[in-house]
Structures are given as C-alpha cells and as structure tokens.
Amino acid sequence: MRKIGLYDFCIGITDFAQKEIGEIDLVEFNAEGKIKEAVSWGAVYGINKTFPLISPCECEIIAVNTILNKKPSHINTDPYSYWFLSISADISKGEFLNYEEYIELTQ
C-alpha cells in the first residue's frame, strides 16, 4: 500500500511478489464498494503461481486500474507504478510493514 492522500491509498504488488508469480497473465477483480479486512477482492494469475488478493484493512474502493485488464504484464516491468486499486481507509501509515519487517517476512 502506498499513501496518496489523507485517507487514500493505492494497493499494488511488491517486486518480490511479482517475481514469485512470474509473468502475470491476468488480474481478476471481483469486488466493488466497501470491503472488509481479510476478504478476497480478486486474484493474480501468473505462469508460476496464482495468488488471491486480500484486503489489508476495511476500506472503500475508489478506483480500479483498468489498464491491467488489457496488459497485466505491465506489473512485471514496473510493479511499483501499476497499482491494482485506489482505496479510502481510516488507517495510519504506522500500521504498514516497514522495509526491514517486509524483508524478514519474505525470507
């Protein structure tokens, strides 16, 4: 998640995750409006793995990146620029993993 406003965030994928998935063939979105924490809102299908997309918090979807419907492999070339969803949520940035915590989690 990347903070883009007072209560707005972009949800995307890390470089580590896109490498684990391999070339991404499809990003499926199956939610709209409000989503509860830990509820699936889609899936990423790649040549190596498929991952469910799970809401990290209770939030409201503001926008879906429809560019990914046409060319999902953009994520493989620049994962930090191609976000999945823009959301609004009442959470603080302090609730995110920091870099060291993320590295420890992925090793």
Side-chain angles (χ1 to χ4, degrees):
M1 288 180 46
R2 181 177 51 189
K3 191 168 182 137
I4 58 171
L6 187 59
Y7 297 106
D8 300 337
F9 301 85
C10 286
I11 297 178
I13 192 169
T14 64
D15 185 50
F16 174 82
Q18 67 86 19
K19 287 177 181 170
E20 288 290 307
I21 295 169
E23 185 175 334
I24 295 172
D25 293 329
L26 176 68
V27 179
E28 180 180 73
F29 302 106
N30 60 16
E32 58 184 53
K34 292 187 178 182
I35 358 177
K36 295 192 179 282
E37 182 175 354
V39 171
S40 174
W41 52 267
V44 176
Y45 298 89
I47 59 171
N48 296 336
K49 295 179 181 177
T50 297
F51 279 100
L53 298 170
I54 307 295
S55 179
C57 58
E58 186 170 328
C59 60
E60 182 169 357
I61 297 172
I62 299 171
V64 174
N65 189 351
T66 56
I67 292 171
L68 297 178
N69 292 337
K70 296 177 183 167
K71 193 78 171 165
S73 62
H74 281 318
I75 298 165
N76 294 113
T77 59
D78 192 1
Y80 295 114
S81 295
Y82 288 95
W83 47 274
F84 296 140
L85 298 176
S86 175
I87 64 163
S88 182
D90 188 14
I91 59 173
S92 74
K93 195 174 177 180
E95 297 178 44
F96 298 171
L97 293 177
N98 64 31
Y99 175 76
E100 290 80 18
E101 292 168 333
Y102 181 76
I103 294 299
E104 185 177 321
L105 181 70
T106 57
Q107 293 182 353

